[in-house]
Amino acid sequence: MRLSLLVSMFAVTGVLAVSAAALSATQVSLRCTAAALVVLAVLAVRWSRSRWAPAAGCLLFAVAALVRDAAVDDTGQDAGWFGYGPSQTVALQAMLDAAGRAYRSESIATLVQLGAVVLLVAAVLGLPRAHRRVRVVATTVAAVVVGVGVLAGLWFDVDLDEMAGVARCAWPGPLAVAAALGLLLLAGRREDRRWLVAAGAGLVAVQAAVTQSDLTGAWLTVAALTDALCGDAYTAIAWGTAVDEGVEYGPALTAALTIAGPALIVLGTPRAGTRTAGGDDTPPPPATGGDDAPPPPTTGGDEGQPPAPDGKD
């Protein structure tokens, strides 16, 4: 398949994924995201310097999107569920079942995404080392900003008594963030004259932070519904799937981050560093001998001329 056709397919599916997310078509967006990442994996094999590591990482990102798609229900209701304490046990149980499915799906998707980030780390490790202070400082500052943002989100969204539950049940999220921050710090110390790998690693880190926030929110929802169902307190909880006719910027931005981060890393790896002389991409020298080479013209010797007379009869 021609490289230009693959690039066109990736661009079309990526635009469709972001547009569908903006229009609240979650299933269409996730499926288009998976398709775009599969095409990107083929591009990585054709184009990227490391080839198999970024290609496998893109495929795992596609699997994570399909796992999330399996738990999405776009049919929805107009008003959703509304439960108020023990008097609405059936409604609360239905809400808890739906929240549990969303939490399990997000946990599996986060674990798959963690593997994808580790493969991208392996791809970046294959790049030559660089000693550019500006890039090192920029990636370090970006990693600190993302890390502080994740910690601040946990501090404001999670109570101290719930922190142990988050660490026990939502641990894939912090691990994915840590791996993405390591990828970002490593990208600043590898050769990339156009900053594509560093920029892609930054987008992967931001997307990992969003994933961690979604996973934590899913677990907190399950915990709140469990307390409302088993406790004696009357707690009002709304679980709605009403369709919003406006543009959803948050999901669209998440879809764009999911696609753009690995894409920049794949695009940046062939431009990072230079090929070593005599490497795999260096054409072999022309043949100057061997079994297939034509014999040199004879200019003398035993078979070229008759022997000179020795003066004897």
Side-chain angles (χ1 to χ4, degrees):
M1 188 177 293
R2 297 180 58 183
L3 193 62
S4 59
L5 179 60
L6 290 173
V7 173
S8 300
M9 292 172 59
F10 171 74
V12 170
T13 51
V15 170
L16 287 176
V18 176
S19 302
L23 298 176
S24 301
T26 307
Q27 286 186 316
V28 176
S29 175
L30 290 172
R31 291 169 187 174
C32 290
T33 298
L37 291 169
V38 170
V39 176
L40 185 61
V42 179
L43 279 172
V45 175
R46 294 282 303 276
W47 194 357
S48 177
R49 178 175 183 174
S50 301
R51 293 192 179 184
W52 300 111
C58 293
L59 288 178
L60 284 185
F61 275 115
V63 171
L66 293 178
V67 169
R68 292 186 174 97
D69 172 67
V72 172
D73 182 12
D74 271 351
T75 57
Q77 297 93 13
D78 292 334
W81 294 97
F82 181 80
Y84 185 74
S87 61
Q88 296 290 336
T89 303
V90 176
L92 286 175
Q93 186 62 51
M95 294 162 61
L96 180 59
D97 293 340
R101 288 193 300 270
Y103 163 70
R104 289 189 294 270
S105 171
E106 193 64 31
S107 298
I108 297 173
T110 305
L111 279 173
V112 175
Q113 182 174 325
L114 173 61
V117 175
V118 171
L119 287 171
L120 292 183
V121 170
V124 175
L125 275 174
L127 300 177
R129 293 180 179 271
H131 301 282
R132 298 184 180 181
R133 186 174 301 176
V134 175
R135 185 183 303 158
V136 172
V137 172
T139 52
T140 303
V141 171
V144 170
V145 170
V146 174
V148 170
V150 171
L151 293 177
L154 288 174
W155 178 264
F156 289 108
D157 295 339
V158 182
D159 297 333
L160 293 179
D161 55 347
E162 295 174 335
M163 194 65 69
V166 171
R168 184 179 67 256
C169 300
W171 56 268
L175 281 183
V177 172
L181 293 180
L183 173 66
L184 180 56
L185 292 174
L186 181 63
R189 290 159 175 79
R190 297 291 164 169
E191 185 64 32
D192 180 13
R193 64 175 180 268
R194 296 192 181 182
W195 290 67
L196 291 179
V197 174
L203 296 183
V204 170
V206 175
Q207 199 273 340
V210 174
T211 299
Q212 187 273 336
S213 178
D214 292 341
L215 179 59
T216 303
W219 181 83
L220 290 176
T221 302
V222 172
L225 288 170
T226 302
D227 292 340
L229 186 63
C230 300
D232 296 330
Y234 286 78
T235 304
I237 301 175
W239 179 276
T241 56
V243 177
D244 189 0
E245 297 181 355
V247 178
E248 296 289 339
Y249 295 102
L253 181 59
T254 301
L257 289 173
T258 304
I259 297 172
L264 289 179
I265 293 177
V266 170
L267 291 175
T269 47
R271 293 179 171 82
T274 56
R275 303 287 187 180
T276 57
D280 295 337
D281 295 334
T282 304
T288 57
D291 297 336
D292 297 333
T298 58
T299 57
D302 295 339
E303 297 179 358
Q305 295 178 355
D310 56 0
K312 298 182 180 180
D313 295 333

